Amino acid sequence: MKLRDIAIGANASMYYRLNFKKIRGVYYPRTETDVLAAIAFARDNGYDVTPKGGGSGLSGACTGGDTDRIMMSSLQMTEMLAISKDIGYVDVQPGLTPDEINAVLEPMGMKLFVAPSSRDIATVGGILSTDGGGNDTWVNGTMRDNTIKVRMVTYDGRKLTVSHEGVKSDDPDLEAELTKKGMTIHDVASSHGTLGFITELKLVIRPVVGETLVGSLAEFPDYDTLGQAVDGMIKRESPIRYGETIVMAHPDVREGFNPPLLILQYPEEYESELKEFVDIKRLDTDEFERLKDIRIKLPKRNPMEGVQFALFEGYGFHEESLRNMQHTLDEIDTLLKSHDLVPFGKYGHAPSKWYLGDNTAAYGIIMHSREIRPEGKTGTELLQTVLDIVEKCDSLGVTPKPEHKWPFDDEAKSSRLNELREVIGPGFNSFILDEACDDVLSSMV
Amino acid sequence: MMSTSYDKCVRCGSCVKFCPLFNAVGEEQYSPRGKTYLLQVMDQIEDDPELAKEFRQLLFQCTLCGRCSEVCSSDVDLLKVWHEQRAKAVQMAPEEFEYLDALRDALANVANIYGLDPEDRAIYWLDELEDDIPGLEDRVYEKGKTADTMVFLGCLMSFRGSQMDVLRSLFTMLEEVGEDYLVMGAEENCCGHPLYLMGDEKGAEDLRKHNRSVIENAQAKKVVTCCPGCLIQLREHHNLKNAEALHHTQYFDQKMETTPKYNQTKELAYHDPCELHRILGIKTEPRSLLKKLGVEYREMEASCCGGGGLLRMTDPGLSDIIIQARSAKEKLRDTVVVTACPSCREQLLASENRTKDIIELLADASEGGAE
Ligand SMILES: Cc1cc2nc3c(=O)[nH]c(=O)nc-3n(C[C@H](O)[C@H](O)[C@H](O)COP(=O)(O)OP(=O)(O)OC[C@H]3O[C@@H](n4cnc5c(N)ncnc54)[C@H](O)[C@@H]3O)c2cc1C
Ligand code: SF4
Ligand code: SF4
């Protein structure tokens, strides 16, 4: 074993104590040919393949669990293959981040409109595999809405091109079977590396339009008023270009602000309509940038004492759970506290959009939650808390992990992935769909 | 007490793509997150002697550029972690760092990194520059001499021919502004920076003591150096009571409200030396001087040249890859890289880039604008 076999386990989730002995090879391919060779090695030895991008995912999916496996990183697949400003697309390898892509596009006045807070490290391959999005998902959609098609390689080395319209393959039988199953990009979105390795993506790029945008702050007396304000924006299809909420923040990182609050940016001419249903205070550019900075750094900051951690990275409040947010949050906080967890920060994209496991779109607040890492809790206890949260979310009408669609809490998604894997074959990130997934994850906390 | 600030790393990955070592190799163990992660799971791997050894080596495959510390929003003082871990590594397995012994011995015996006679500190450049700078010999410090400003050249500038043009420009400009100055010459010890980078605080302090007493005896109110590494030591670790340590860009920016205009005929780009702008926070003065000189220049990415953290000694191959990748990425072929650090200069010259220290531009402008 070498340090490269261990360092590949570095990831942002709380599942980071891997059984390194089960990692049978670490690959950093540069081309599809390299990918095929690595997969062939895994296949010949009966090992699983775990794709990894930036390792910023919070579900532990890029760890590969404790299967005998090879780890395949996309971090050296960072070529920009083609750009068409006229048609509006860019062809890229999967290891590029939105920041890297946009650095090239910016001088052309074009942009990829996918902006997770982790866009400095999250790769486009990883973002599609979790169907991530950012504070502009409300206007610009999630990663799947911005992906035209992907090329991927399956465990038996066959090649697929999957788009919104359907699927193509170098193997006509496979193509026919997957077409019968109706495979589209929706299936690749949130598939957590269980179907194959994405080697190339064709992404939508659009011109940056010169709108005059203004920023403002809305502070709320309670969570219901916050939820109802966001619900109002959804109903009116408000043109919010940037919408973030800080629901609560530990006093050490609050920096004088008073959550719950919303940080909003919208076209100047929309302000009068927004004022009809939300009490907003206009911010100058510096104040607005400062608030944005406070928000974006919340997932990384720590309290004076202790360290924050992401026990359960996302809650999707929509419909009733959004309008009755006070009740929903009280229930969640009571549950967290009963498990001895001290809330550290709750914040997220608002209004936002995500997809449910059956591929219907939902609109509301994607709230990330961080707690202070408790001392002396076992992995099993923490995972039990996660499972209790999932159950609680179901009873409250909240989407658990809306940005991640972690298949183990999404029956529709996991059965669809299993259905496709019957055709494509297993071999990719299998632990996720395994019944023992909970135990494996808890062993890594 | 060892800091455990690496515990605060939430492994978000924001530092990964900024690290020159990660960019050079493209594998996670070289990235700052990779290394904090290795520390976080050390209990799982430290029993394996080969892995422990590899980790010790990895700690020296880093330029200590500080970019990771700057990017991190989780209060992980990464530079401190790397320093502490290096000290621990050398202490635990000195035999693995025997290749650094020659350097350590040279510093212990003759107080310079080249193992040359200490008297030679003021020989090479004095021979070369005596005619250009009349009276230069009298500027060399001897017991009993005093001056307002002490010039601290550092090992690179004292001994390397490649630094001669910078020295000539520095002395020309000190004369031009009428400064009352002395050069430490043979009485200068290495500032201790190389030992500090290996985590050998005691060895570094032994070197600093002598410098401190010379500066005090000369009654200098200012110590001026062109070398950011020396400045880190002079400003942060020499504990100088009555003298303020300044980078030459700070000194001349303060001294000269206006400067003659530089006659620019080539494309210029400014490279911020990591130790100067990130560790010492000196960003505005070099730019202010460039503005006064009226030059047009391109800002380069604030990343490392690959020459810091002893990497040139510990892994010259990686150091070369970093500067070559940088030259290609930033299209330096037709550009003169302006910088303000003798170590960056060496690194740039070794990779066949053209470079000038800001002081050279200043001297050229003062001498009539010839390039
Ligand atoms: C500080 C912070 C802020 C964040 N903010 C947001 C946010 O605003 N919005 C959001 O949506 N998420 C956010 N996240 C979560 C995370 O960034 C996303 O889940 C992101 O999509 C993961 O991308 P990655 O490249 O890091 O993938 P990884 O974490 O490496 O992997 C994620 C999944 O994708 C699979 N995968 C990766 N590459 C490939 C490939 N080439 N082929 C097939 N499968 C692949 C992996 O197997 C794994 O299942 C945040 C995380 C952090 C740490
Ligand atoms: S930026 Fe800081 S918290 Fe994030 S991975 Fe790097 S060291 Fe860790
Ligand atoms: S100090 Fe520089 S080279 Fe070292 S880990 Fe940090 S970013 Fe990388």
Side-chain angles (χ1 to χ4, degrees):
Chain A
M1 207 172 8
K2 290 281 196 190
L3 287 182
R4 70 197 294 276
D5 305 323
I6 294 162
I8 193 73
N11 77 98
S13 80
M14 64 174 177
Y15 313 105
Y16 73 101
R17 297 186 63 82
L18 280 62
N19 177 358
F20 300 109
K21 293 198 176 78
K22 296 285 190 86
I23 297 176
R24 305 298 182 167
V26 174
Y27 291 83
Y28 289 91
R30 285 179 185 272
T31 60
E32 188 180 75
T33 313
D34 296 346
V35 171
L36 284 164
I39 295 175
F41 170 81
R43 207 172 46 233
D44 291 348
N45 291 281
Y47 301 145
D48 223 61
V49 180
T50 295
K52 187 180 178 198
S56 67
L58 297 163
S59 296
C62 70
T63 63
D66 78 342
T67 335
D68 281 301
R69 66 196 180 284
I70 64 157
M71 303 286 293
M72 188 142 59
S73 168
S74 66
L75 288 180
Q76 291 190 24
M77 296 187 80
T78 52
E79 292 280 318
M80 218 135 152
L81 304 164
I83 303 174
S84 170
K85 196 175 161 182
D86 298 339
I87 307 178
Y89 70 80
V90 63
D91 287 332
V92 293
Q93 285 194 310
L96 281 169
T97 64
D99 274 358
E100 286 167 330
I101 295 171
N102 283 329
V104 177
L105 295 179
E106 195 187 81
M108 301 174 197
M110 302 295 282
K111 193 171 170 188
L112 163 69
F113 285 89
V114 177
S117 315
S118 50
R119 56 189 173 269
D120 52 3
I121 179 66
T123 62
V124 285
I127 304 175
L128 181 64
S129 303
T130 56
D131 200 23
N135 46 54
D136 59 350
T137 303
W138 164 243
V139 263
N140 295 316
T142 67
M143 188 67 187
R144 76 177 76 180
D145 297 320
N146 290 279
T147 305
I148 299 165
K149 64 180 179 185
V150 291
R151 211 174 141 86
M152 52 201 295
V153 177
T154 64
Y155 191 65
D156 54 14
R158 289 180 288 183
K159 292 166 203 161
L160 299 177
T161 302
V162 190
S163 66
H164 286 269
E165 288 70 43
V167 56
K168 299 236 177 293
S169 172
D170 56 344
D171 175 347
D173 294 341
L174 180 65
E175 180 175 319
E177 275 191 82
L178 289 173
T179 304
K180 218 184 319 168
K181 296 273 178 202
M183 186 182 190
T184 67
I185 205 88
H186 285 298
D187 295 308
V188 184
S190 297
S191 60
H192 292 271
T194 56
L195 299 176
F197 193 89
I198 299 168
T199 53
E200 199 180 310
L201 301 93
K202 187 181 279 293
L203 304 174
V204 178
I205 58 171
R206 282 180 281 124
V208 180
V209 269
E211 281 181 309
T212 308
L213 297 177
V214 292
S216 68
L217 167 71
E219 289 175 299
F220 301 94
D222 52 46
Y223 299 135
D224 274 353
T225 338
L226 165 69
Q228 283 153 18
V230 174
D231 191 49
M233 291 174 207
I234 294 164
K235 290 210 173 93
R236 290 162 195 249
E237 297 187 14
S238 298
I240 305 295
R241 304 288 183 241
Y242 170 99
E244 286 284 331
T245 175
I246 300 179
V247 177
M248 70 76 64
H250 191 279
D252 290 352
V253 293
R254 208 179 280 161
E255 301 200 17
F257 287 95
N258 212 3
L261 55 85
L262 273 173
I263 313 160
L264 299 168
Q265 197 179 36
Y266 42 83
E268 192 165 19
E269 59 274 16
Y270 183 68
E271 187 159 84
S272 53
E273 185 180 332
L274 187 62
K275 274 188 170 155
E276 286 171 19
F277 64 103
V278 192
D279 189 10
I280 47 173
K281 193 177 92 196
R282 178 75 88 83
L283 299 172
D284 68 28
T285 315
D286 287 350
E287 287 169 327
F288 180 67
E289 289 304 324
R290 190 175 149 234
L291 260 174
K292 267 171 77 177
D293 192 57
I294 293 173
R295 156 64 193 97
I296 202 163
K297 287 187 174 151
L298 275 175
K300 303 177 189 176
R301 297 197 52 196
N302 280 308
M304 310 266 209
E305 299 222 341
V307 178
Q308 68 147 301
F309 88 133
L311 174 78
F312 194 78
E313 68 275 18
Y315 301 79
F317 296 97
H318 61 130
E319 312 274 351
E320 276 310 299
S321 64
L322 177 66
R323 289 185 284 270
N324 300 321
M325 209 173 149
Q326 185 80 42
H327 168 72
T328 322
L329 263 176
D330 286 347
E331 289 273 311
I332 291 167
D333 269 350
T334 308
L335 190 148
L336 287 172
K337 284 178 190 151
S338 73
H339 285 268
D340 302 328
L341 287 161
V342 180
F344 172 73
K346 292 186 178 32
Y347 45 82
H349 316 316
S352 195
K353 171 187 178 182
W354 64 94
Y355 284 92
L356 303 175
D358 62 3
N359 299 323
T360 54
Y363 300 92
I365 294 180
I366 293 185
M367 187 192 79
H368 303 269
S369 172
R370 300 287 168 118
E371 290 72 39
I372 295 178
R373 190 163 75 195
E375 298 292 330
K377 287 260 173 202
T378 64
T380 317
E381 284 168 330
L382 288 172
L383 196 83
Q384 189 51 52
T385 312
V386 170
L387 298 177
D388 289 353
I389 296 173
V390 173
E391 209 178 301
K392 177 62 78 184
C393 285
D394 284 343
S395 73
L396 294 168
V398 172
T399 310
K401 306 188 188 233
E403 273 171 336
H404 308 281
K405 271 66 76 201
W406 189 222
F408 80 78
D409 58 43
D410 192 331
E411 193 45 47
K413 186 73 187 176
S414 57
S415 57
R416 174 67 175 165
L417 289 173
N418 277 322
E419 185 188 350
L420 291 171
R421 278 162 60 102
E422 275 167 23
V423 179
I424 293 174
F428 263 91
N429 229 7
S430 307
F431 90 105
I432 291 172
L433 299 164
D434 197 287
E435 280 184 4
C437 182
D438 295 354
D439 298 334
V440 171
L441 286 176
S442 67
S443 73
M444 299 197 296
V445 176
Chain B
M1 204 180 83
M2 281 292 162
S3 153
T4 51
S5 87
Y6 58 78
D7 277 346
K8 291 203 166 219
C9 167
V10 295
R11 302 176 302 281
C12 68
S14 282
C15 54
V16 171
K17 294 216 172 193
F18 288 102
C19 172
L21 267 294
F22 172 76
N23 288 328
V25 189
E27 298 198 353
E28 295 226 31
Q29 68 274 21
Y30 289 90
S31 75
R33 176 180 69 178
K35 286 185 270 191
T36 52
Y37 176 66
L38 289 168
L39 285 164
Q40 289 179 345
V41 297
M42 194 50 82
D43 60 315
Q44 286 179 261
I45 58 176
E46 64 195 347
D47 290 342
D48 182 327
E50 284 308 309
L51 291 179
K53 183 174 173 187
E54 202 192 334
F55 185 65
R56 287 191 286 272
Q57 185 187 344
L58 194 60
L59 289 166
F60 284 80
Q61 286 165 320
C62 160
T63 63
L64 295 180
C65 68
R67 203 134 189 236
C68 48
S69 294
E70 186 182 57
V71 167
C72 179
S73 318
S74 303
D75 308 325
V76 188
D77 188 345
L78 288 145
L79 269 180
K80 189 166 169 217
V81 172
W82 308 145
H83 273 287
E84 286 175 351
Q85 291 296 325
R86 280 185 170 199
K88 197 171 155 195
V90 177
Q91 204 179 9
M92 277 181 77
E95 69 286 357
E96 289 166 23
F97 297 94
E98 273 168 8
Y99 65 95
L100 294 174
D101 283 352
L103 172 62
R104 233 190 314 248
D105 292 347
L107 290 173
N109 298 330
V110 287
N112 65 68
I113 57 174
Y114 299 107
L116 294 168
D117 187 335
E119 292 298 321
D120 291 353
R121 261 199 193 262
I123 294 285
Y124 303 116
W125 52 265
L126 201 52
D127 279 354
E128 182 82 20
L129 301 178
E130 237 170 354
D131 296 341
D132 295 342
I133 321 283
L136 188 58
E137 202 174 349
D138 299 336
R139 298 287 192 182
V140 180
Y141 172 81
E142 283 166 18
K143 234 189 188 135
K145 284 190 181 176
T146 59
D148 287 347
T149 294
M150 182 61 92
V151 176
F152 189 98
L153 292 181
C155 297
L156 274 178
M157 291 193 56
S158 300
F159 293 103
R160 302 274 301 175
S162 49
Q163 304 286 337
M164 202 58 74
D165 290 341
V166 185
L167 275 175
R168 180 182 293 104
S169 303
L170 175 69
F171 293 133
T172 304
M173 288 315 298
L174 285 167
E175 297 291 337
E176 170 93 18
V177 297
E179 182 58 67
D180 171 28
Y181 72 98
L182 286 171
V183 193
M184 288 201 29
E187 288 297 329
E188 182 180 294
N189 272 359
C190 165
C191 64
H193 201 52
L195 295 175
Y196 168 82
L197 297 176
M198 303 176 201
D200 180 1
E201 182 49 32
K202 182 175 174 311
E205 185 48 29
D206 287 346
L207 290 167
R208 292 174 199 140
K209 256 189 244 153
H210 176 73
N211 290 332
R212 191 157 43 232
S213 73
V214 171
I215 293 164
E216 274 165 18
N217 290 341
Q219 296 171 23
K221 296 184 201 65
K222 287 188 176 122
V223 183
V224 174
T225 181
C226 299
C227 173
C230 296
L231 187 60
I232 292 178
Q233 295 305 315
L234 291 164
R235 198 178 88 177
E236 313 290 327
H237 302 283
H238 267 65
N239 201 12
L240 299 174
K241 294 262 161 10
N242 302 315
E244 182 191 16
L246 292 173
H247 191 243
H248 66 313
T249 56
Q250 291 180 298
Y251 169 84
F252 284 106
D253 189 46
Q254 282 172 16
K255 201 88 186 170
M256 301 177 76
E257 219 159 85
T258 57
T259 73
K261 298 290 173 226
Y262 178 71
N263 177 19
Q264 182 173 358
T265 56
K266 298 203 175 71
E267 202 178 299
L268 301 178
Y270 179 62
H271 163 69
D272 269 307
C274 295
E275 289 181 326
L276 188 68
H277 92 288
R278 234 184 322 269
I279 299 176
L280 292 162
I282 301 170
K283 304 171 196 179
T284 49
E285 293 89 338
R287 287 174 176 78
S288 163
L289 275 176
L290 290 171
K291 195 168 167 209
K292 287 175 192 170
L293 286 162
V295 297
E296 280 185 16
Y297 64 97
R298 168 159 63 91
E299 289 279 356
M300 287 172 65
E301 202 194 316
S303 84
C304 182
C305 67
L310 298 180
L311 189 69
R312 278 232 68 81
M313 285 193 76
T314 59
D315 202 326
L318 277 178
S319 174
D320 286 343
I321 295 175
I322 293 172
I323 185 65
Q324 279 155 12
R326 190 105 203 264
S327 307
K329 188 174 168 207
E330 302 218 31
K331 303 188 176 67
L332 296 182
R333 195 213 285 248
D334 299 320
T335 306
V336 177
V337 180
V338 178
T339 190
C341 166
S343 180
C344 296
R345 179 184 181 86
E346 294 290 332
Q347 183 75 350
L348 285 158
L349 290 174
S351 56
E352 293 181 4
N353 283 294
R354 285 174 301 163
T355 180
K356 271 188 183 277
D357 192 289
I358 293 184
I359 194 74
E360 291 180 83
L361 303 190
L362 195 57
D364 285 351
S366 294
E367 283 166 2
E371 192 171 3

